[in-house]
Amino acid sequence: MPFSELQNPLADNRYPVRIALFGSTGSIGVNTLDVVRRHPERFEITALAANRNIEILGKQIAEFHPKAVAVADKSAAAKLASLAAARPETRCEVLSGTEGLRELARRDSYDTFIGALTGFAGFAPTLEAIQRGKRIALANKETLVVAGELLTALAARTGSEIIPIDSEHSAIHQCLVGESPERIRRIILTASGGPFRNLPKEQFAAITPEAALKHPKWKMGPKITIDSATLMNKGLEIIEAKWLFNVPLSKIEVVVHPQSIVHSLVEFIDGSVKAQLGMPDMRLPIQYALTAPERLDQSYDLLNLIQSSPLEFFAADLDKFPSLALAREAGARGGLYPCILNAANEEAVAQFLAGTIAFTKIPAIIRAAMDAAPSDASKSILASTDSEISDNMERIIACDATTRSQI
């Protein structure tokens, strides 16, 4: 839709906006709760979901009092249910497993769904929320990577709005307010370059997980931090941008911007360029996703251009960072190739973090998985009926499982 037509969740004065936060114990979830904490008259947490960190989740339940929570790990969910029953301040309904996540997303107890679960785990509950026409504040880029064709078409049908939380896509979204896709000449995603931007390629084989987890600008979870180090994060964002903004891959470029002040840019057909700038603080795009196209006052660190200078830009080195090209290839092939790319990457990153493979093996594993794709992998996942949606969802889930089993 043209971005001037975005619905305003605050316009009807129905405060507070009810939020279902999926991925509450990760970095996006914790930052989201800080935004909610600062604006209690505007936002209410009615549902929380996490993978397995019930220690943090228990504290969040005690503070925000959701009606229900879901925990993907069934043993952790059982432990939380036992603890919640014994403590009045944490007493609430506890759902468990993948089906528990989906059941929570099906409910009508929220207005805005925040998708911040890590990796492929975020796909099914996001689909459920889109089917119900909810506003989606999306941090889980993997969801659109593996099923962007399916989910964006479904969102158009149900009236669900997908507002990105990624700082880069939030920047593009803000640049496109009042614009339409046909006016875009190109989208320019900025990348920090990660911790190894200046490291010679010959030294990549010796990179340790500890070194790769030291991002120079952002505080993020381990998986996305490794993706930033390989530039796969930016590759996934290329595919995500294609579906979010309805532009071909040929119009999406990446530049390295080490200062992480210019979050992304849009060049229009008349040659003018819009950019969104701000401090590297995820609370800013989170808050925008909850209120767009409106804005709320905030007291976070403000941008000082003099202190932030110089602002530098460099070409991405595809020889040192082949994951970027692999992602573009998967996006161009379409169908299940992005799913294969994502599953192989998640498994390879997990192995690297466990110390069982070298940093340089990550793109090699992805390349092998894509080369082993079935002959019908490029078949479209677009669906127009409930039956087709269900069939293609199962196709995506099966592809993810098969790819992982072969890594």
Side-chain angles (χ1 to χ4, degrees):
M1 70 172 65
F3 292 88
S4 56
E5 297 179 10
L6 282 171
Q7 299 176 28
N8 179 2
L10 307 181
D12 61 2
N13 294 320
R14 188 180 69 184
Y15 303 131
V17 174
R18 301 171 302 164
I19 295 171
L21 174 53
F22 280 63
S24 67
T25 61
S27 60
I28 294 295
V30 169
N31 278 309
T32 297
L33 292 176
D34 187 57
V35 172
V36 171
R37 193 179 289 116
R38 290 166 182 261
H39 299 283
E41 76 288 354
R42 299 276 185 163
F43 307 117
E44 176 189 5
I45 298 296
T46 57
L48 293 172
N51 187 14
R52 65 174 60 89
N53 194 334
I54 60 172
E55 180 179 355
I56 294 177
L57 183 58
K59 294 176 182 178
Q60 294 172 344
I61 294 169
E63 179 178 0
F64 293 97
H65 308 294
K67 295 179 175 66
V69 301
V71 182
D73 185 288
K74 292 185 177 182
S75 61
K79 185 176 180 181
L80 178 65
S82 177
L83 293 172
R87 299 170 58 190
E89 68 273 18
T90 59
R91 194 168 293 157
C92 68
E93 183 182 6
V94 179
L95 306 173
S96 69
T98 301
E99 184 53 39
L101 295 174
R102 295 180 66 175
E103 167 60 25
L104 191 59
R106 290 188 195 109
R107 297 186 176 183
D108 197 36
S109 59
Y110 64 95
D111 307 302
T112 296
F113 172 96
I114 297 184
L117 287 167
T118 299
F120 187 75
F123 166 57
T126 304
L127 174 64
E128 298 287 357
I130 290 174
Q131 285 181 307
R132 281 145 189 82
K134 302 295 185 179
R135 167 173 278 213
I136 311 297
L138 191 62
N140 174 277
K141 61 177 62 67
E142 292 88 350
T143 292
L144 281 184
V145 167
V146 302
E149 184 179 23
L150 172 67
L151 295 180
T152 52
L154 180 61
R157 199 174 91 189
T158 64
S160 177
E161 295 177 317
I162 303 176
I163 314 295
I165 285 178
D166 259 350
S167 61
E168 296 83 1
H169 298 92
S170 176
I172 296 164
H173 193 282
Q174 293 177 62
C175 289
L176 290 176
V177 170
E179 307 285 357
S180 56
E182 60 266 20
R183 298 174 188 163
I184 299 170
R185 174 172 287 160
R186 59 177 175 154
I187 285 172
I188 305 170
L189 295 167
T190 57
S192 69
F196 309 125
R197 180 174 65 89
N198 294 319
L199 188 72
K201 181 182 178 181
E202 295 73 25
Q203 298 180 29
F204 273 32
I207 290 172
T208 65
E210 292 74 21
L213 287 170
K214 293 179 181 177
H215 194 279
K217 287 293 179 182
W218 297 95
K219 294 181 179 179
M220 306 177 291
K223 193 267 180 181
I224 190 174
T225 303
I226 302 303
D227 283 351
S228 182
T230 64
L231 287 197
M232 176 56 83
N233 191 46
K234 211 54 50 181
L236 299 178
E237 288 173 9
I238 290 173
I239 301 173
E240 185 182 11
K242 171 186 176 179
W243 297 116
L244 277 172
F245 307 114
N246 191 28
V247 295
L249 293 174
S250 60
K251 290 188 176 183
I252 305 170
E253 300 179 8
V254 171
V255 299
V256 174
H257 170 51
Q259 291 77 27
S260 297
I261 296 297
V262 179
H263 296 302
S264 278
L265 311 90
V266 179
E267 182 180 60
F268 296 93
I269 55 175
D270 61 357
S272 63
V273 178
K274 288 183 182 180
Q276 190 268 336
L277 287 71
M279 296 298 287
D281 186 332
M282 285 307 301
R283 292 173 298 181
L284 302 181
I286 290 168
Q287 182 170 295
Y288 177 78
L290 290 174
T291 64
E294 298 301 316
R295 297 182 185 272
L296 295 179
D297 192 14
Q298 56 85 15
S299 57
Y300 315 134
D301 290 341
L302 299 178
L303 175 63
N304 184 313
L305 282 173
I306 305 303
Q307 293 179 1
S308 300
S309 296
L311 301 180
E312 301 171 296
F313 301 90
F314 305 96
D317 189 333
L318 298 183
D319 182 51
K320 287 172 62 175
F321 301 102
S323 290
L324 193 58
L326 289 170
R328 190 177 285 276
E329 178 188 337
R333 290 189 173 193
L336 294 175
Y337 273 97
C339 180
I340 294 168
L341 171 96
N342 181 72
N345 179 63
E346 287 188 14
E347 290 299 309
V349 168
Q351 290 181 22
F352 170 68
L353 286 170
T356 59
I357 65 167
F359 185 78
T360 50
K361 282 288 289 182
I362 296 175
I365 287 172
I366 299 166
R367 174 77 273 166
M370 289 174 60
D371 288 345
S375 58
D376 65 345
S378 60
K379 180 182 175 182
S380 172
I381 58 171
L382 189 62
S384 57
T385 67
D386 290 343
S387 175
E388 289 175 342
I389 290 170
S390 178
D391 289 346
N392 277 331
M393 180 177 174
E394 293 306 316
R395 187 171 166 231
I396 292 166
I397 292 172
C399 175
D400 176 81
T402 299
T403 302
R404 291 174 192 274
S405 70
Q406 295 172 348
I407 301 301

